[in-house]
Amino acid sequence: MSCRAQRVVALFVTEAETIQATECAQDMLYVYWLLTEMSLKVQLPMILECDNKGAIDIANNWLSSGQTWHMDVKVKFLRELKDGNFIRMI
């Protein structure tokens, strides 16, 4: 994985961690497809480690508050991957 600057400005640490978790999940999805294309087995769910409890709680909880409505698309992407047993956030 390469290190790159975040493309958006986040006002809160939880928001920044959620954005980064989404980008990491996208990279994980790409690597999964790449490995399965090479006929390699990948153990699911893949572990997505996050050091922010708020970001983990947002990804694990289907409720949306007024403070997270602007992140809904990114959060829904994480939740769909989690509910599909593709990733597990810890």
Side-chain angles (χ1 to χ4, degrees):
M1 306 289 165
S2 64
C3 183
R4 60 184 181 268
Q6 192 168 307
R7 293 178 284 231
V8 295
V9 176
L11 299 177
F12 302 101
V13 174
T14 298
E15 181 181 357
E17 292 285 341
T18 303
I19 292 168
Q20 287 304 112
T22 303
E23 290 184 7
C24 182
Q26 290 171 342
D27 290 343
M28 291 168 75
L29 191 60
Y30 171 75
V31 170
Y32 171 78
W33 285 333
L34 183 66
L35 292 174
T36 54
E37 188 67 28
M38 294 188 300
S39 300
L40 297 171
K41 294 212 180 249
V42 179
Q43 183 179 357
L44 295 178
M46 292 192 283
I47 306 299
L48 176 59
E49 292 184 1
C50 184
D51 63 353
N52 187 285
K53 184 174 178 351
I56 294 170
D57 290 343
I58 287 172
N60 288 332
N61 186 1
W62 275 102
L63 299 176
S64 178
S65 72
Q67 296 178 348
T68 61
W69 65 269
H70 61 285
M71 297 188 306
D72 273 351
V73 173
K74 293 182 183 308
V75 172
K76 285 179 184 175
F77 176 72
L78 282 175
R79 290 175 184 163
E80 286 176 4
L81 290 178
K82 186 186 78 62
D83 290 345
N85 203 31
F86 183 77
I87 64 169
R88 183 167 57 109
M89 285 189 71
I90 57 170

Coordinates of all heavy atoms in Angstrom, one line a residue:
M1 N 0.8 -1.2 0.0 CA 0.0 0.0 0.0 C 0.9 1.2 0.0 O 1.9 1.3 0.6 CB -0.9 0.0 1.2 CG -1.7 -1.2 1.5 SD -3.0 -1.3 0.3 CE -3.5 -3.0 0.5
S2 N 0.4 2.2 -0.7 CA 1.2 3.5 -0.7 C 0.6 4.5 0.2 O -0.6 4.5 0.6 CB 1.2 4.0 -2.1 OG -0.1 4.4 -2.5
C3 N 1.5 5.4 0.7 CA 1.0 6.4 1.6 C 0.6 7.6 0.8 O 1.4 8.0 -0.1 CB 2.1 6.8 2.6 SG 1.6 8.0 3.8
R4 N -0.5 8.2 1.0 CA -1.0 9.3 0.2 C -1.8 10.3 1.1 O -2.3 9.9 2.1 CB -1.8 8.9 -1.0 CG -3.0 8.2 -0.6 CD -3.7 7.7 -1.9 NE -5.0 7.0 -1.6 CZ -5.1 5.8 -1.5 NH1 -4.1 5.0 -1.6 NH2 -6.3 5.2 -1.2
A5 N -1.9 11.5 0.7 CA -2.6 12.5 1.4 C -4.1 12.3 1.3 O -4.6 11.8 0.3 CB -2.3 13.9 0.9
Q6 N -4.8 12.5 2.4 CA -6.2 12.4 2.4 C -6.8 13.4 1.5 O -6.4 14.6 1.4 CB -6.7 12.6 3.8 CG -8.2 12.1 4.0 CD -8.5 12.1 5.5 OE1 -7.8 11.4 6.2 NE2 -9.6 12.7 5.9
R7 N -7.9 13.1 0.7 CA -8.4 14.0 -0.3 C -9.5 14.9 0.2 O -9.9 15.8 -0.5 CB -9.0 13.1 -1.4 CG -8.0 12.4 -2.2 CD -8.7 11.6 -3.3 NE -9.3 10.4 -2.6 CZ -9.1 9.2 -3.0 NH1 -8.4 8.9 -4.1 NH2 -9.7 8.2 -2.3
V8 N -9.9 14.8 1.4 CA -10.9 15.7 2.0 C -10.4 16.2 3.4 O -9.5 15.6 4.0 CB -12.3 15.0 2.2 CG1 -12.9 14.6 0.9 CG2 -12.1 13.8 3.1
V9 N -11.0 17.3 3.8 CA -10.7 17.9 5.1 C -11.7 17.4 6.1 O -12.9 17.5 5.9 CB -10.7 19.4 5.0 CG1 -10.5 20.0 6.4 CG2 -9.7 19.9 4.0
A10 N -11.3 16.8 7.2 CA -12.1 16.3 8.2 C -12.1 17.2 9.4 O -11.0 17.8 9.8 CB -11.7 14.9 8.6
L11 N -13.3 17.5 10.0 CA -13.3 18.4 11.2 C -13.1 17.7 12.5 O -12.7 18.3 13.5 CB -14.7 19.0 11.2 CG -15.0 19.9 10.0 CD1 -16.4 20.5 10.1 CD2 -14.0 21.0 9.8
F12 N -13.3 16.4 12.5 CA -13.1 15.6 13.7 C -12.3 14.4 13.5 O -12.2 13.9 12.4 CB -14.5 15.1 14.3 CG -15.4 16.3 14.5 CD1 -16.4 16.6 13.6 CD2 -15.3 17.1 15.6 CE1 -17.3 17.6 13.8 CE2 -16.2 18.1 15.9 CZ -17.2 18.4 15.0
V13 N -11.6 13.9 14.5 CA -10.7 12.7 14.4 C -11.5 11.5 14.0 O -11.1 10.7 13.1 CB -10.0 12.5 15.7 CG1 -9.2 11.2 15.7 CG2 -9.1 13.6 16.1
T14 N -12.7 11.3 14.6 CA -13.6 10.2 14.2 C -13.9 10.2 12.7 O -13.9 9.2 12.1 CB -14.9 10.2 15.1 OG1 -14.5 10.1 16.4 CG2 -15.8 9.1 14.7
E15 N -14.2 11.4 12.2 CA -14.5 11.5 10.8 C -13.3 11.2 9.9 O -13.4 10.4 8.9 CB -15.0 13.0 10.5 CG -15.3 13.2 9.1 CD -15.7 14.7 8.8 OE1 -15.8 15.5 9.8 OE2 -16.0 15.0 7.7
A16 N -12.1 11.6 10.3 CA -10.9 11.3 9.6 C -10.6 9.8 9.6 O -10.3 9.2 8.6 CB -9.7 12.1 10.2
E17 N -10.8 9.2 10.8 CA -10.6 7.7 10.9 C -11.6 7.0 10.1 O -11.2 5.9 9.5 CB -10.6 7.3 12.3 CG -9.5 7.8 13.2 CD -8.2 7.1 12.9 OE1 -8.2 6.0 12.4 OE2 -7.1 7.7 13.3
T18 N -12.8 7.4 10.0 CA -13.8 6.7 9.2 C -13.5 6.8 7.7 O -13.6 5.8 7.0 CB -15.2 7.3 9.5 OG1 -15.5 7.2 10.9 CG2 -16.3 6.6 8.7
I19 N -13.1 8.0 7.3 CA -12.7 8.2 5.9 C -11.5 7.3 5.5 O -11.5 6.6 4.5 CB -12.4 9.7 5.6 CG1 -13.6 10.5 5.7 CG2 -11.7 9.8 4.3 CD1 -13.4 12.0 5.7
Q20 N -10.5 7.2 6.4 CA -9.3 6.4 6.2 C -9.7 4.9 6.2 O -9.2 4.1 5.4 CB -8.2 6.7 7.2 CG -7.5 8.0 6.9 CD -7.0 8.1 5.5 OE1 -7.4 8.9 4.7 NE2 -6.0 7.3 5.2
A21 N -10.6 4.5 7.1 CA -11.1 3.1 7.1 C -11.8 2.7 5.8 O -11.6 1.6 5.3 CB -12.0 2.9 8.3
T22 N -12.5 3.7 5.3 CA -13.2 3.4 4.0 C -12.2 3.2 2.9 O -12.3 2.3 2.1 CB -14.2 4.5 3.7 OG1 -15.1 4.7 4.7 CG2 -14.9 4.3 2.4
E23 N -11.2 4.1 2.8 CA -10.2 4.0 1.8 C -9.4 2.7 2.0 O -9.0 2.0 1.0 CB -9.3 5.2 1.8 CG -10.0 6.4 1.3 CD -9.1 7.7 1.2 OE1 -7.9 7.5 1.4 OE2 -9.6 8.7 0.9
C24 N -9.1 2.3 3.2 CA -8.4 1.1 3.5 C -9.2 -0.1 3.0 O -8.7 -1.1 2.4 CB -8.1 1.0 4.9 SG -7.1 -0.5 5.4
A25 N -10.5 -0.1 3.3 CA -11.5 -1.2 2.9 C -11.5 -1.3 1.4 O -11.5 -2.4 0.8 CB -12.8 -0.9 3.4
Q26 N -11.4 -0.2 0.7 CA -11.4 -0.2 -0.8 C -10.1 -0.9 -1.3 O -10.1 -1.7 -2.2 CB -11.5 1.2 -1.4 CG -12.8 1.9 -1.2 CD -12.8 3.3 -1.6 OE1 -11.8 4.0 -1.6 NE2 -14.0 3.9 -1.8
D27 N -9.0 -0.6 -0.6 CA -7.7 -1.2 -1.0 C -7.8 -2.7 -0.7 O -7.3 -3.5 -1.4 CB -6.6 -0.6 -0.2 CG -6.2 0.8 -0.7 OD1 -6.7 1.2 -1.8 OD2 -5.5 1.6 0.0
M28 N -8.4 -3.1 0.4 CA -8.5 -4.5 0.8 C -9.4 -5.2 -0.2 O -9.1 -6.4 -0.6 CB -9.2 -4.6 2.2 CG -8.3 -4.1 3.3 SD -9.1 -4.0 4.9 CE -9.3 -5.7 5.4
L29 N -10.4 -4.6 -0.7 CA -11.3 -5.2 -1.7 C -10.5 -5.4 -3.0 O -10.6 -6.5 -3.6 CB -12.5 -4.2 -2.0 CG -13.6 -4.8 -2.8 CD1 -14.3 -6.0 -2.2 CD2 -14.7 -3.7 -3.0
Y30 N -9.7 -4.4 -3.4 CA -8.8 -4.6 -4.6 C -7.9 -5.7 -4.4 O -7.7 -6.6 -5.3 CB -8.1 -3.3 -4.9 CG -7.1 -3.4 -6.0 CD1 -7.4 -3.5 -7.3 CD2 -5.7 -3.5 -5.7 CE1 -6.5 -3.7 -8.3 CE2 -4.8 -3.7 -6.7 CZ -5.2 -3.8 -8.0 OH -4.2 -3.9 -9.0
V31 N -7.2 -5.8 -3.3 CA -6.2 -6.9 -3.1 C -6.9 -8.3 -3.0 O -6.4 -9.3 -3.6 CB -5.4 -6.7 -1.8 CG1 -4.6 -7.9 -1.4 CG2 -4.5 -5.4 -1.9
Y32 N -8.1 -8.3 -2.5 CA -8.9 -9.5 -2.4 C -9.2 -10.0 -3.9 O -9.0 -11.2 -4.2 CB -10.2 -9.3 -1.7 CG -11.2 -10.5 -1.8 CD1 -11.0 -11.6 -1.0 CD2 -12.3 -10.4 -2.6 CE1 -11.9 -12.7 -1.1 CE2 -13.1 -11.5 -2.8 CZ -12.9 -12.6 -2.0 OH -13.8 -13.7 -2.1
W33 N -9.7 -9.1 -4.7 CA -10.0 -9.5 -6.1 C -8.7 -9.9 -6.8 O -8.7 -10.8 -7.6 CB -10.7 -8.3 -6.8 CG -12.1 -8.1 -6.4 CD1 -13.0 -9.1 -6.0 CD2 -12.8 -6.9 -6.5 NE1 -14.2 -8.6 -5.7 CE2 -14.2 -7.2 -6.1 CE3 -12.5 -5.6 -6.8 CZ2 -15.1 -6.3 -6.0 CZ3 -13.5 -4.7 -6.8 CH2 -14.8 -5.0 -6.3
L34 N -7.6 -9.2 -6.6 CA -6.3 -9.6 -7.2 C -5.9 -11.0 -6.8 O -5.5 -11.8 -7.6 CB -5.3 -8.5 -6.8 CG -3.9 -8.7 -7.4 CD1 -4.0 -8.5 -8.9 CD2 -2.9 -7.7 -6.8
L35 N -5.9 -11.3 -5.5 CA -5.5 -12.6 -5.0 C -6.4 -13.7 -5.5 O -6.0 -14.8 -5.9 CB -5.4 -12.6 -3.5 CG -4.3 -11.7 -2.9 CD1 -4.4 -11.7 -1.4 CD2 -2.9 -12.2 -3.3
T36 N -7.7 -13.5 -5.5 CA -8.7 -14.5 -6.0 C -8.5 -14.7 -7.5 O -8.7 -15.8 -8.0 CB -10.1 -14.2 -5.6 OG1 -10.5 -12.9 -6.1 CG2 -10.3 -14.2 -4.2
E37 N -8.1 -13.7 -8.2 CA -7.9 -13.8 -9.7 C -6.7 -14.7 -9.9 O -6.6 -15.4 -10.9 CB -7.7 -12.4 -10.3 CG -7.6 -12.4 -11.8 CD -8.9 -12.8 -12.5 OE1 -10.0 -12.6 -11.9 OE2 -8.8 -13.3 -13.6
M38 N -5.7 -14.7 -9.0 CA -4.6 -15.5 -9.1 C -4.8 -16.9 -8.5 O -3.9 -17.7 -8.2 CB -3.4 -14.9 -8.4 CG -2.9 -13.6 -9.1 SD -1.4 -12.9 -8.5 CE -1.7 -12.6 -6.8
S39 N -6.1 -17.2 -8.2 CA -6.5 -18.5 -7.6 C -5.9 -18.7 -6.2 O -5.7 -19.9 -5.8 CB -6.1 -19.6 -8.5 OG -6.8 -19.5 -9.7
L40 N -5.7 -17.7 -5.4 CA -5.2 -17.8 -4.1 C -6.4 -17.7 -3.1 O -7.3 -16.9 -3.4 CB -4.2 -16.8 -3.7 CG -2.9 -16.9 -4.6 CD1 -2.0 -15.7 -4.3 CD2 -2.1 -18.2 -4.2
K41 N -6.4 -18.4 -2.1 CA -7.5 -18.3 -1.1 C -7.3 -17.2 -0.1 O -6.1 -17.0 0.3 CB -7.7 -19.6 -0.4 CG -8.1 -20.8 -1.3 CD -9.0 -21.7 -0.5 CE -9.4 -22.8 -1.4 NZ -10.7 -22.8 -1.7
V42 N -8.3 -16.5 0.2 CA -8.2 -15.4 1.2 C -9.2 -15.7 2.3 O -10.4 -16.0 2.0 CB -8.6 -14.0 0.5 CG1 -8.5 -12.9 1.5 CG2 -7.7 -13.7 -0.6
Q43 N -8.8 -15.7 3.5 CA -9.6 -15.9 4.7 C -10.5 -14.7 4.9 O -10.0 -13.6 5.1 CB -8.8 -16.3 5.9 CG -9.6 -16.7 7.1 CD -8.7 -17.0 8.3 OE1 -7.5 -17.0 8.2 NE2 -9.4 -17.3 9.4
L44 N -11.8 -15.0 5.0 CA -12.7 -13.9 5.3 C -13.4 -14.1 6.6 O -13.5 -15.3 7.0 CB -13.8 -13.8 4.2 CG -13.4 -13.5 2.8 CD1 -14.5 -13.5 1.8 CD2 -12.7 -12.1 2.8
P45 N -13.7 -13.2 7.4 CA -13.6 -11.7 7.1 C -12.1 -11.3 7.3 O -11.4 -11.8 8.2 CB -14.5 -11.1 8.1 CG -14.5 -12.0 9.2 CD -14.4 -13.4 8.7
M46 N -11.7 -10.3 6.5 CA -10.4 -9.7 6.7 C -10.5 -8.7 7.8 O -11.5 -8.1 8.0 CB -9.9 -9.0 5.4 CG -9.6 -10.0 4.3 SD -8.7 -9.3 2.9 CE -10.1 -8.5 2.1
I47 N -9.5 -8.5 8.6 CA -9.5 -7.7 9.8 C -9.0 -6.3 9.4 O -8.0 -6.1 8.8 CB -8.5 -8.2 10.9 CG1 -8.9 -9.7 11.2 CG2 -8.6 -7.3 12.1 CD1 -10.2 -9.9 11.7
L48 N -9.9 -5.3 9.7 CA -9.6 -3.9 9.5 C -9.4 -3.3 10.9 O -10.4 -3.1 11.6 CB -10.7 -3.2 8.7 CG -10.5 -1.7 8.5 CD1 -9.3 -1.4 7.8 CD2 -11.7 -1.2 7.7
E49 N -8.2 -3.0 11.3 CA -7.9 -2.5 12.6 C -8.0 -1.0 12.6 O -7.5 -0.3 11.7 CB -6.5 -2.9 13.1 CG -6.4 -4.4 13.3 CD -5.0 -4.8 13.9 OE1 -4.2 -3.9 14.1 OE2 -4.8 -6.0 14.1
C50 N -8.7 -0.4 13.5 CA -8.9 1.0 13.7 C -8.7 1.4 15.1 O -9.1 0.7 16.0 CB -10.3 1.4 13.2 SG -10.6 3.1 13.2
D51 N -7.9 2.4 15.4 CA -7.6 2.8 16.7 C -8.6 3.9 17.3 O -8.3 4.5 18.3 CB -6.2 3.3 16.8 CG -5.9 4.5 16.0 OD1 -6.8 4.9 15.2 OD2 -4.8 5.1 16.1
N52 N -9.7 4.1 16.6 CA -10.6 5.1 17.1 C -12.0 4.4 17.4 O -12.6 3.9 16.5 CB -10.8 6.2 16.0 CG -11.6 7.3 16.5 OD1 -12.8 7.2 16.6 ND2 -11.0 8.5 16.8
K53 N -12.4 4.4 18.7 CA -13.6 3.7 19.1 C -14.8 4.4 18.4 O -15.8 3.7 18.0 CB -13.8 3.8 20.6 CG -15.0 3.0 21.0 CD -15.0 2.9 22.5 CE -16.2 2.2 23.1 NZ -17.3 1.8 22.3
G54 N -14.8 5.7 18.2 CA -15.9 6.3 17.6 C -16.1 5.9 16.1 O -17.3 5.6 15.7
A55 N -15.0 5.7 15.4 CA -15.1 5.2 14.0 C -15.6 3.8 13.9 O -16.4 3.4 13.1 CB -13.8 5.4 13.3
I56 N -15.2 3.0 14.9 CA -15.6 1.6 14.9 C -17.1 1.5 15.3 O -17.9 0.8 14.6 CB -14.8 0.8 15.9 CG1 -13.4 0.7 15.5 CG2 -15.4 -0.6 16.2 CD1 -12.4 0.1 16.5
D57 N -17.6 2.3 16.2 CA -19.0 2.4 16.6 C -19.9 2.9 15.5 O -20.9 2.3 15.2 CB -19.2 3.3 17.8 CG -18.6 2.7 19.1 OD1 -18.3 1.4 19.1 OD2 -18.4 3.4 20.1
I58 N -19.4 3.9 14.7 CA -20.2 4.3 13.6 C -20.3 3.2 12.5 O -21.4 3.1 11.9 CB -19.5 5.6 13.0 CG1 -19.7 6.8 13.9 CG2 -20.1 5.9 11.6 CD1 -19.0 8.0 13.5
A59 N -19.2 2.5 12.3 CA -19.3 1.5 11.2 C -20.1 0.3 11.7 O -20.7 -0.4 10.9 CB -17.9 1.0 10.9
N60 N -20.2 0.0 13.0 CA -21.0 -1.1 13.5 C -22.4 -0.8 13.8 O -23.2 -1.7 14.0 CB -20.3 -1.7 14.8 CG -19.0 -2.4 14.4 OD1 -18.8 -2.9 13.4 ND2 -18.1 -2.3 15.4
N61 N -22.8 0.4 13.8 CA -24.1 0.8 14.2 C -24.9 1.4 13.0 O -24.4 2.3 12.4 CB -24.1 1.8 15.3 CG -25.4 2.2 15.9 OD1 -26.4 1.6 15.5 ND2 -25.5 3.1 16.8
W62 N -26.1 0.9 12.7 CA -26.8 1.3 11.5 C -27.5 2.6 11.8 O -28.1 3.2 10.9 CB -27.8 0.3 11.1 CG -27.2 -0.7 10.2 CD1 -26.8 -2.0 10.5 CD2 -26.9 -0.6 8.8 NE1 -26.3 -2.6 9.5 CE2 -26.3 -1.8 8.4 CE3 -27.0 0.5 7.9 CZ2 -25.9 -2.0 7.1 CZ3 -26.6 0.3 6.6 CH2 -26.0 -0.9 6.2
L63 N -27.5 3.1 13.0 CA -28.2 4.4 13.3 C -27.3 5.5 12.8 O -26.1 5.5 12.9 CB -28.5 4.6 14.8 CG -29.4 3.5 15.4 CD1 -29.5 3.7 16.9 CD2 -30.8 3.6 14.7
S64 N -27.9 6.6 12.3 CA -27.2 7.7 11.8 C -27.6 8.9 12.6 O -28.8 9.2 12.8 CB -27.5 7.9 10.3 OG -26.8 9.1 9.8
S65 N -26.7 9.7 13.0 CA -27.0 11.0 13.7 C -26.8 12.2 12.8 O -26.3 12.1 11.7 CB -26.1 11.1 15.0 OG -24.8 11.4 14.6
G66 N -27.2 13.3 13.3 CA -27.1 14.5 12.6 C -25.6 14.9 12.3 O -25.3 15.6 11.4
Q67 N -24.7 14.4 13.2 CA -23.3 14.7 13.0 C -22.6 13.8 12.0 O -21.5 14.1 11.6 CB -22.6 14.7 14.3 CG -23.1 15.7 15.3 CD -22.4 15.6 16.6 OE1 -21.7 14.6 16.9 NE2 -22.5 16.6 17.5
T68 N -23.2 12.7 11.6 CA -22.6 11.8 10.6 C -23.3 11.7 9.3 O -22.9 10.9 8.4 CB -22.6 10.4 11.2 OG1 -23.9 9.9 11.5 CG2 -21.7 10.3 12.5
W69 N -24.3 12.5 9.1 CA -25.1 12.4 7.8 C -24.2 12.7 6.6 O -24.4 12.1 5.5 CB -26.3 13.3 7.8 CG -25.9 14.8 7.8 CD1 -25.8 15.6 8.9 CD2 -25.7 15.6 6.7 NE1 -25.4 16.8 8.6 CE2 -25.3 16.9 7.2 CE3 -25.7 15.4 5.3 CZ2 -25.0 18.0 6.4 CZ3 -25.4 16.5 4.5 CH2 -25.0 17.8 5.0
H70 N -23.2 13.5 6.7 CA -22.4 13.9 5.5 C -21.4 12.7 5.2 O -20.8 12.7 4.1 CB -21.6 15.2 5.8 CG -20.7 15.1 7.0 ND1 -21.1 15.1 8.3 CD2 -19.4 15.0 7.0 CE1 -20.1 15.1 9.1 NE2 -19.0 14.9 8.4
M71 N -21.3 11.8 6.1 CA -20.4 10.6 5.8 C -21.2 9.4 5.5 O -20.6 8.3 5.4 CB -19.6 10.3 7.1 CG -18.6 11.4 7.5 SD -17.5 10.8 8.8 CE -18.6 10.2 10.1
D72 N -22.5 9.5 5.2 CA -23.3 8.3 5.1 C -22.9 7.4 4.0 O -22.9 6.2 4.2 CB -24.8 8.8 4.8 CG -25.6 9.0 6.0 OD1 -25.0 8.7 7.1 OD2 -26.7 9.5 6.0
V73 N -22.4 7.9 2.8 CA -22.0 7.0 1.7 C -20.8 6.1 2.1 O -20.8 4.9 1.9 CB -21.8 7.7 0.4 CG1 -21.2 6.8 -0.6 CG2 -23.0 8.4 -0.1
K74 N -19.9 6.7 2.8 CA -18.7 6.0 3.2 C -19.0 5.0 4.3 O -18.5 3.9 4.3 CB -17.6 7.0 3.7 CG -17.0 7.9 2.5 CD -15.9 8.7 3.0 CE -15.4 9.7 2.0 NZ -15.0 9.1 0.8
V75 N -19.8 5.4 5.2 CA -20.2 4.6 6.3 C -21.0 3.4 5.8 O -20.9 2.3 6.2 CB -21.0 5.4 7.4 CG1 -21.5 4.4 8.5 CG2 -20.0 6.4 8.1
K76 N -22.0 3.6 4.9 CA -22.8 2.5 4.4 C -21.9 1.5 3.6 O -22.2 0.3 3.7 CB -23.9 3.1 3.4 CG -25.0 3.8 4.2 CD -26.0 4.3 3.3 CE -27.1 5.1 4.1 NZ -28.1 5.7 3.3
F77 N -20.9 2.0 2.9 CA -19.9 1.1 2.2 C -19.3 0.2 3.3 O -19.2 -1.0 3.1 CB -18.9 1.9 1.5 CG -17.9 1.1 0.8 CD1 -18.2 0.3 -0.3 CD2 -16.6 1.1 1.3 CE1 -17.2 -0.4 -1.0 CE2 -15.6 0.3 0.7 CZ -15.9 -0.5 -0.5
L78 N -18.8 0.8 4.3 CA -18.1 0.0 5.4 C -19.1 -1.0 6.0 O -18.8 -2.2 6.2 CB -17.6 0.8 6.5 CG -16.3 1.6 6.3 CD1 -16.0 2.5 7.4 CD2 -15.2 0.6 6.0
R79 N -20.3 -0.6 6.3 CA -21.3 -1.5 6.9 C -21.7 -2.6 6.0 O -21.9 -3.7 6.4 CB -22.6 -0.7 7.3 CG -22.3 0.3 8.4 CD -23.5 1.1 8.7 NE -23.2 2.1 9.8 CZ -23.9 3.2 10.0 NH1 -24.9 3.4 9.3 NH2 -23.6 4.0 11.0
E80 N -21.8 -2.3 4.7 CA -22.2 -3.4 3.7 C -21.1 -4.4 3.6 O -21.4 -5.6 3.6 CB -22.5 -2.8 2.3 CG -23.8 -2.1 2.3 CD -24.0 -1.4 0.9 OE1 -23.2 -1.6 0.0 OE2 -25.1 -0.7 0.8
L81 N -19.8 -4.0 3.7 CA -18.7 -5.0 3.7 C -18.7 -5.8 4.9 O -18.4 -7.0 4.9 CB -17.4 -4.2 3.5 CG -17.1 -3.6 2.1 CD1 -15.8 -2.9 2.1 CD2 -17.1 -4.7 1.0
K82 N -19.0 -5.1 6.1 CA -19.1 -5.8 7.4 C -20.2 -6.8 7.4 O -20.0 -7.9 7.8 CB -19.2 -4.8 8.5 CG -19.1 -5.4 9.9 CD -19.4 -4.4 11.0 CE -20.8 -4.1 11.1 NZ -21.7 -5.2 11.5
D83 N -21.4 -6.4 7.0 CA -22.6 -7.3 7.0 C -22.4 -8.4 6.0 O -23.0 -9.5 6.2 CB -23.8 -6.5 6.7 CG -24.2 -5.5 7.9 OD1 -23.6 -5.7 9.0 OD2 -25.0 -4.6 7.7
G84 N -21.7 -8.2 4.9 CA -21.4 -9.2 4.0 C -20.3 -10.2 4.4 O -19.8 -11.0 3.6
N85 N -19.8 -10.0 5.6 CA -18.7 -10.9 6.2 C -17.4 -10.7 5.3 O -16.7 -11.7 5.2 CB -19.2 -12.3 6.3 CG -18.4 -13.1 7.3 OD1 -17.9 -12.5 8.3 ND2 -18.2 -14.3 7.1
F86 N -17.2 -9.6 4.8 CA -16.0 -9.3 4.1 C -14.9 -8.8 4.9 O -13.7 -9.1 4.8 CB -16.2 -8.4 2.9 CG -15.0 -8.2 2.0 CD1 -14.6 -9.1 1.1 CD2 -14.3 -7.0 2.1 CE1 -13.5 -8.9 0.3 CE2 -13.1 -6.8 1.4 CZ -12.8 -7.8 0.4
I87 N -15.3 -7.8 5.8 CA -14.3 -7.2 6.8 C -14.9 -7.3 8.2 O -16.1 -7.5 8.4 CB -14.0 -5.8 6.5 CG1 -15.2 -4.9 6.6 CG2 -13.3 -5.6 5.1 CD1 -14.9 -3.4 6.6
R88 N -14.0 -7.2 9.1 CA -14.4 -7.1 10.5 C -13.5 -6.0 11.1 O -12.3 -6.0 11.1 CB -14.1 -8.4 11.3 CG -14.6 -8.3 12.7 CD -14.7 -9.7 13.4 NE -13.4 -10.4 13.3 CZ -12.6 -10.6 14.4 NH1 -13.0 -10.2 15.6 NH2 -11.5 -11.3 14.3
M89 N -14.2 -5.0 11.7 CA -13.5 -3.8 12.2 C -13.2 -4.1 13.7 O -14.1 -4.4 14.5 CB -14.3 -2.6 12.1 CG -14.2 -2.0 10.7 SD -14.9 -0.4 10.5 CE -13.7 0.6 11.3
I90 N -12.0 -4.0 14.1 CA -11.6 -4.1 15.5 C -10.8 -2.9 15.9 O -10.2 -2.2 15.1 CB -10.9 -5.4 15.8 CG1 -9.6 -5.5 15.0 CG2 -11.8 -6.6 15.6 CD1 -8.7 -6.6 15.4

